[in-house]
């Protein structure tokens, strides 16, 4: 799936979701992106049935970072 977070102000985060059929809260999720800028961090979790939330954060304390759309791969394991 392709995801872009736009411009992220210093020390801020943005959540977005993607459809992953069969995912349910409590499943284990792992994700990777084709490219991310310096200072960008993310975590992923199943936020509701069939939806994986991707939370992207700018960890740079004094700079805005611009993200571009990247291809994301998400793996979900049943717990």
């Amino acid at each position: 799936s392709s995801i872009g977070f736009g411009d992220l102000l210093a020390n801020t985060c943005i959540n977005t979701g993607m459809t992953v059929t069969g995912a349910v809260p409590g499943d284990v999720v792992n994700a990777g992106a084709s490219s991310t800028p310096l200072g960008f961090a993310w975590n992923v979790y199943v936020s509701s049935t069939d939806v994986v939330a991707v939370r992207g954060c700018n960890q740079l304390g004094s700079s805005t970072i611009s993200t571009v759309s990247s291809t994301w791969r998400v793996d979900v394991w049943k717990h």
Side-chain angles (χ1 to χ4, degrees):
S1 184
S2 182
I3 298 175
F5 291 90
D7 292 336
L8 288 171
L9 300 175
N11 299 314
T12 61
C13 298
I14 294 176
N15 292 334
T16 189
M18 66 172 51
T19 300
V20 179
T21 302
V24 295
D27 287 348
V28 177
V29 183
N30 191 23
S34 58
S35 66
T36 59
L38 177 68
F40 182 82
W42 69 87
N43 63 22
V44 290
Y45 59 96
V46 179
S47 58
S48 61
T49 300
D50 297 331
V51 179
V52 170
V54 182
R55 181 176 176 87
C57 299
N58 177 351
Q59 294 185 321
L60 298 178
S62 61
S63 301
T64 296
I65 58 174
S66 296
T67 67
V68 297
S69 284
S70 297
T71 301
W72 287 75
R73 177 183 171 143
V74 174
D75 295 306
V76 177
W77 292 278
K78 295 295 179 188
H79 201 330

